[in-house]
Amino acid sequence: MVTAEVAEPVPAQTQEERFEAVIAAEQRIEPRDWMPDAYRATLIRQIAQHAHSEIIGMQPEGNWLTRAPSLRRKAILLAKAQDEAGHGLYLYAAAETLGVDRAELTEKLISGRQKYSSIFNYPTLTYADVGVIGWLVDGAAICNQVPLCRCSYGPYARAMVRICKEESFHQRQGYELLMTLMRGTEAQRRMVQDAVDRWWWPSLMMFGPSDGDSPNTARSMAWRIKRHTNDELRRRFVDMTVPQAQHLGVTLPDPELRWNEERGGWDFGEPDWSELTRVIHGQGPCNAQRIERRRAAHEDGAWVREAASAYAAKRRAEAGTRTADEAQHTPEQENGK
Ligand code: FAQ
């Protein structure tokens, strides 16, 4: 006698349980999946801030586009700034999959309701700053962003894969520029050291406040948006950068920097957290100028957006007319009946 096997009833899962199971299994949440409101809001906050940083981040380097010392350096810098515009666009597109609109995010940036990275509020005083931004700022960005390629939200993680590849090229071009300057004159070497002195601490602050003062880390780690804490990534950056500084022949401006044999890493001093707070809240050296430029560029570009929308509407109308014509064009007509 054949007995029919009765399948075990599958326990009904709530949407939340399904979401948690996907996160626990290291799989990806995709735009159509259910997600808690707070997960969505955290992603919009982080991705928008990241996108704004890429776009505002073009300004400090843009300052040197017309004054790059050779055609080769100008072409490299132009290509880097273009990459950053592209990164901003991938990231705005990733944010849009969460139900927000890029125009709305831009509005929030220029009205000061959304943040961008503190690092882009410092001035680029000499050409060595371009090299130091590549080496330290892109270096810090890579440390922070490689783990984001494993972020639990699919569109963000996938955008990060391409962005990280390009950031790594940016970092190398910065280091190569600095190596060239260090092989130059005494004045050029002094220029590099001065730029390192000014950018070192702001680069460490890019990783955010120390873990004890980071309100978002615990939840973002539990949701596998962030894979490491701010302090872990800051330490990783210092360990990676100290040997590069030694090879370059510059001194990092931290008297507390020393090798910790037991830990197998570098101990370093505490950044000035009051400076980070000031810069995040709009009181850095260039905050007002950066936002003003962004606002002006947005307003100057209004006619391009209008023209693009009008063109898209025209194309849609033409496609609509074609579809209507095709609907009237019956198979009988085609056979000449
Ligand atoms: N600047 O609780 P946490 C680049 C805010 S791209 C400004 O620790 P979270 C490429 C934070 O938003 C650089 N604000 O926050 C390039 C939060 O504020 P809220 C950008 C900061 O999110 C290179 C509050 O403080 N990269 O460089 C900063 O868990 C060269 C409390 O902080 C990314 O955006 C800061 N430094 O961790 C382009 C990477 N730090 O919103 C051109 C993605 C913290 O609660 C040239 N983002 N805040 O009011 C992340 O990994 C994270 O969002 C962190 C902050 C690590 C930045």
Side-chain angles (χ1 to χ4, degrees), residues 12 29 37 47 51 53 62 64 101 115 117 127 130 132 136-137 139-140 153 158 174 192 214 266-267 280 325:
I29 302 294
D37 291 344
I47 301 174
S53 303
W64 286 92
D101 182 61
K115 299 183 168 79
S117 181
Y127 193 68
V130 170
V132 170
L136 296 181
V137 176
Y153 186 59
R158 289 189 286 276
V192 173
S214 164
W266 290 86
D267 287 339
I280 291 182
D325 284 353

Side-chain angles (χ1 to χ4, degrees), residues 190-208:
R190 273 202 308 274
M191 198 163 88
V192 173
Q193 183 61 57
D194 168 64
V196 170
D197 290 346
R198 285 181 289 106
W199 288 91
W200 174 249
W201 291 107
S203 299
L204 291 192
M205 292 178 202
M206 281 177 74
F207 295 93

